[in-house]
Structure formats: C-alpha cells, structure tokens
Amino acid sequence: MWFFYFLLPLLGLLRISLATSLNATLDLQDEVIERSMGYTTEPSRLVMYVQTFKTPKGEPLSLLPLLQHDTKVTHIILASIHLHDEPGEIRLNDDPFHAPTWDNIWEEVKTLQMNGVKVMGLLGGSAGGTFGHLNGTEREFYSYYHPLLSLIKKYNLDGLDVDIEEKVEISVPLRLINALRRDMGPNFIITMSPLASALTNALGQNLSGFSYFDLDAFATVPGSEEKLISWYNGMFYGGYARGPPFFQLIVAAGWDPQRIVMGVLDCSNDGQANGFVRIEKLQDTIRELRGMYEGFGGVAGWEYHDAGDE
C-alpha cells in the first residue's frame, strides 16, 4: 500500500475537472489550506507544468484547485520565460511579469507556497532564442542574466527549469547554472527538461546540442561531487511511458532514479498524436517503477489547463 498514496494523488491531479476549476474561488489567497498529508513529505515528486493560463473555454485559469482537491502536487512550473533581444525585456509567454494579466496568478503563487508547494519558472522551451542571448561575452551574459535574477527574487520563485530546445554549447547551461547556484544558494531548485532519449546515452536524440552526461559531470559544486542540477524532467512522450523499460534503460546508463522525473502529456492535445498515455496504463507503469526503485523520482504532467481531457 505504500505506493497507493502516490498513485491516488496522481490520478486526482490528471483527472481534475475543468468545471471544478471554473468554480474555484480566489478567497483562499490569504489562507493556509489544511490537508491531511503535507506536500513536502511525499516520497516522489508530482510536478505540474502550467503554460496555458486560460481554460479550454477561454476563461481565466486558477491554480487553487490543485490545493482544494488535495492533489498532492509538489512542484508547479510556470512556462515559459523568454529573454528577448533587448537586455531586460523578459516575458512570461507574451507578457511582462508585471502585466495585469498575471496579478491573480502571483497572488495564487503565494498561497501555493504557503501550503508547501514549490513554484518554479521554465526558462526557454520550444521558442528559440533565449539561450543564444546567454552565449556571449561575460558582459553580454550578465546584461541578460542580472534582470532575470532580479525577477526570480522579486517574484520569489523557488527554482528554474532550464529547458533548452535549441543547439548551444555546453558552456551556456554551465555558466547559467553556476551563476544561479552562486546567487540563489543551495535551496534554489535547478532542473532541466531534456528528451528522455538524451538520457539513455551520450549520443541519444537531443534537442540541446550537448551531452547531458557531460553536463551533469561538470555541473557540480566546486571541490565536491554535489550536483548543481537537482533533477531532470525527462520528456517521456510517446511509448516511453507505456512501461518501465525506457526508464530502466536510463538508470542502466548511470542515472540515479531519484533524479529522473518521468514527464508525460496530460491530454492527447498537448503534444504529438502518439504521445499521450492513458491514465490506466500510466498507473501500471508507475506501480512497476515504484516497485523497482524505492527512490523513483516522480512524474511531471504537461500541462494543467486541459489535464484529464482525452
């Protein structure tokens, strides 16, 4: 029964009703919501990506049902943060962080954090260009990095998911990750989101242009073996989440299963046509992986606004 408490909240999270979301109240923003089980004590991570901030009906999306329905979500990642050509021009999707469209979201973020949920930002993603801006001289790098750092601090983000889907040199993530660790300290969460195939071997299919094996070896605290990258939200889209073998292949390649989170699609409309795995099959896969690896890293869902729709 030890794995049941992970599977039950997973099912609740992925099947949450959009009608319930529409009826959610914002009156909870200044209230610590009582729950029977704390998020920070869950044995595995349950990560939810949020990129679309409207319901399928076009109405504003609330994050609070993730608390109200006791989904046991541990981390929420807001996507996507983009660095534009002008240093200091940084947008969450199409709008600056301070735009009125985000006012309710930032208030809800405070409530989530008060209840133990870690709220992070995704930097980069499928829209290219962000990491090209971080690939210059030291002066050029810091002209883009310092405004980003200021926003992370101002909006009290708990971490950053560095999602590199453009070809860059390994020095780009290394410089960024080291700077974040230096400036934000060891409690700041740094994750990355490669294709799952990029974790099977150094030559695995990859969107980033560098080896994640090499990056992870280099990205350590100077003078120690402590990893700077907290874990990897691997994109296990397609058949990769239809059973344990692909996760086993990654572990066999040398990765600690505690540092690998299985990223899946929450809805068939959220990615490639064959990328969606139904909850019943996903449940079987998680049950098997939890049986194989006591330290199974968890599951990440892309994305929240239509989670549970077919």
Side-chain angles (χ1 to χ4, degrees), residues 125-176:
S126 58
T130 288
F131 295 100
H133 295 317
L134 299 173
N135 191 28
T137 65
E138 287 294 287
R139 181 176 180 179
E140 290 169 337
F141 170 80
Y142 282 107
S143 71
Y144 289 98
Y145 170 75
H146 280 143
L148 173 65
L149 180 65
S150 295
L151 286 178
I152 289 172
K153 292 179 177 180
K154 179 177 179 179
Y155 291 90
N156 195 33
L157 294 179
D158 294 299
L160 200 65
D161 186 46
V162 182
D163 183 3
I164 304 179
E165 300 186 28
E166 54 186 300
K167 303 295 184 182
V168 299
E169 297 294 328
I170 196 172
S171 58
V172 174
L174 272 175
R175 181 161 58 174
L176 174 62

Side-chain angles (χ1 to χ4, degrees), residues 197-206 210-214:
S197 55
L199 302 174
T200 58
N201 61 76
L203 300 178
Q205 185 181 4
N206 190 330
F210 55 81
S211 165
Y212 281 87
F213 289 79
D214 291 343

Side-chain angles (χ1 to χ4, degrees), residues 296-308:
F296 171 58
V299 177
W302 181 279
E303 62 165 318
Y304 171 56
H305 86 113
D306 58 1

Side-chain angles (χ1 to χ4, degrees), residues 12-224:
L13 179 60
L14 296 186
R15 287 183 163 183
I16 188 168
S17 163
L18 267 298
T20 302
S21 298
L22 293 177
N23 294 329
T25 175
L26 298 183
D27 293 339
L28 298 168
Q29 290 175 354
D30 297 319
E31 174 185 351
V32 177
I33 299 169
E34 295 295 332
R35 292 169 309 202
S36 59
M37 296 179 64
Y39 288 99
T40 56
T41 60
E42 287 297 298
S44 295
R45 304 173 192 92
L46 187 55
V47 182
M48 177 57 78
Y49 282 91
V50 185
Q51 177 173 260
T52 305
F53 292 84
K54 299 283 187 181
T55 70
K57 294 182 179 180
E59 299 176 355
L61 185 74
S62 173
L63 305 179
L64 296 183
L66 293 170
L67 292 177
Q68 294 165 319
H69 294 273
D70 202 21
T71 61
K72 304 298 187 297
V73 63
T74 60
H75 300 78
I76 290 175
I77 301 179
L78 306 177
S80 299
I81 300 170
H82 303 293
L83 306 183
H84 290 260
D85 291 344
E86 182 67 25
E89 184 183 354
I90 303 174
R91 296 178 182 269
L92 178 57
N93 291 337
D94 297 326
D95 297 288
F97 276 46
H98 63 268
T101 189
W102 304 125
D103 287 350
N104 284 340
I105 292 297
W106 295 128
E107 288 302 311
E108 292 187 5
V109 164
K110 294 175 185 177
T111 300
L112 290 160
Q113 291 173 324
M114 287 169 60
N115 284 271
V117 181
K118 301 297 185 182
V119 181
M120 305 167 58
L122 180 154
L123 180 67
S126 58
T130 288
F131 295 100
H133 295 317
L134 299 173
N135 191 28
T137 65
E138 287 294 287
R139 181 176 180 179
E140 290 169 337
F141 170 80
Y142 282 107
S143 71
Y144 289 98
Y145 170 75
H146 280 143
L148 173 65
L149 180 65
S150 295
L151 286 178
I152 289 172
K153 292 179 177 180
K154 179 177 179 179
Y155 291 90
N156 195 33
L157 294 179
D158 294 299
L160 200 65
D161 186 46
V162 182
D163 183 3
I164 304 179
E165 300 186 28
E166 54 186 300
K167 303 295 184 182
V168 299
E169 297 294 328
I170 196 172
S171 58
V172 174
L174 272 175
R175 181 161 58 174
L176 174 62
I177 290 166
N178 275 284
L180 287 169
R181 175 57 178 261
R182 179 195 65 223
D183 296 328
M184 294 301 298
N187 293 327
F188 189 74
I189 303 166
I190 301 172
T191 62
M192 299 192 75
S193 302
L195 293 178
S197 55
L199 302 174
T200 58
N201 61 76
L203 300 178
Q205 185 181 4
N206 190 330
L207 299 174
S208 311
F210 55 81
S211 165
Y212 281 87
F213 289 79
D214 291 343
L215 175 65
D216 201 65
F218 291 134
T220 60
V221 175
S224 77

Side-chain angles (χ1 to χ4, degrees), residues 213-234:
F213 289 79
D214 291 343
L215 175 65
D216 201 65
F218 291 134
T220 60
V221 175
S224 77
E225 296 183 357
E226 181 184 349
K227 299 295 187 182
L228 296 178
I229 301 167
S230 303
W231 71 82
Y232 292 87
N233 298 304

Side-chain angles (χ1 to χ4, degrees), residues 2 6 10 39 41-48 72-75 189 191 199 230-234 236 247-248 250-251 255-263 285-301:
W2 58 271
F6 174 70
L10 172 67
Y39 288 99
T41 60
E42 287 297 298
S44 295
R45 304 173 192 92
L46 187 55
V47 182
M48 177 57 78
K72 304 298 187 297
V73 63
T74 60
H75 300 78
I189 303 166
T191 62
L199 302 174
S230 303
W231 71 82
Y232 292 87
N233 298 304
F236 283 74
F247 195 98
Q248 291 176 281
I250 290 173
V251 174
W255 296 96
D256 182 344
Q258 295 186 52
R259 297 180 64 224
I260 305 298
V261 170
M262 186 170 64
T285 299
I286 295 168
R287 181 186 293 113
E288 292 185 63
L289 289 172
R290 288 297 301 274
M292 294 175 182
Y293 307 110
E294 184 177 357
F296 171 58
V299 177

